[in-house]
Amino acid sequence: MKLKTIALLLAGLVLYAGLTSITLMFYKDDPDQMNWQDREAFNTKYIYKLDLTKAISRNQVINFLGGPDITEAKKHQQQVFQVLYYRTHRTKTDGITTKDECTAILFKNQQLIAIGETAVEQFNQLD
């Protein structure tokens, strides 16, 4: 009797671990379905994992994070620069997202070139 109970318990634990692993491996987070605290944490984690030495396109970022909270673009010397702002920290609980609550991601011709304050500085220096 004890052996049967232990076997059923172990089978249940294995099934639970298997289903949990499958869910975690194949479930894609959907930023649009997250509350604001989870989305800020999700954005922060993803943005600061971006590697400037790798070719990362604007579409890759948008596909993963969803649409930006704020965006700006400029054309400079036949090059298109676009800065996407994603909220990563709240400063006021007024329901309005401002640039100071966001982390900037700068793209040149759709390719990632800068993150954070460096992105803002480079974008603002353009004519």
Side-chain angles (χ1 to χ4, degrees):
M1 185 71 153
K2 282 187 176 182
L3 192 56
K4 187 175 183 180
T5 303
I6 292 172
L8 286 173
L9 182 61
L10 285 175
L13 287 172
V14 168
L15 180 63
Y16 174 77
L19 290 174
T20 301
S21 297
I22 290 169
T23 301
L24 292 174
M25 285 191 307
F26 296 107
Y27 173 75
K28 183 181 181 316
D29 289 321
D30 183 3
D32 292 331
Q33 301 301 317
M34 296 177 186
N35 65 41
W36 66 268
Q37 296 103 327
D38 290 341
R39 181 152 188 193
E40 286 180 359
F42 180 77
N43 290 347
T44 301
K45 185 176 178 181
Y46 178 79
I47 290 168
Y48 287 102
K49 282 186 175 181
L50 291 172
D51 185 350
L52 294 173
T53 65
K54 295 182 179 175
I56 300 172
S57 74
R58 181 181 65 87
N59 287 340
Q60 285 175 290
V61 172
I62 290 173
N63 285 339
F64 197 84
L65 292 178
D69 294 289
I70 302 169
T71 187
E72 296 179 18
K74 292 180 184 178
K75 193 170 189 178
H76 177 74
Q77 298 178 349
Q78 305 304 332
Q79 308 284 331
V80 176
F81 292 84
Q82 185 174 21
V83 63
L84 307 181
Y85 292 90
Y86 286 93
R87 192 170 74 205
T88 54
H89 52 282
R90 182 175 291 248
T91 58
K92 294 180 188 172
T93 57
D94 58 3
I96 300 170
T97 299
T98 56
K99 288 181 188 177
D100 66 327
E101 298 176 312
C102 297
T103 299
I105 308 171
L106 181 61
F107 298 88
K108 176 181 174 182
N109 296 325
Q110 311 254 344
Q111 294 299 308
L112 177 66
I113 61 168
I115 299 169
E117 286 303 315
T118 304
V120 175
E121 290 168 9
Q122 288 181 21
F123 186 76
N124 288 337
Q125 288 175 358
L126 300 169
D127 295 332

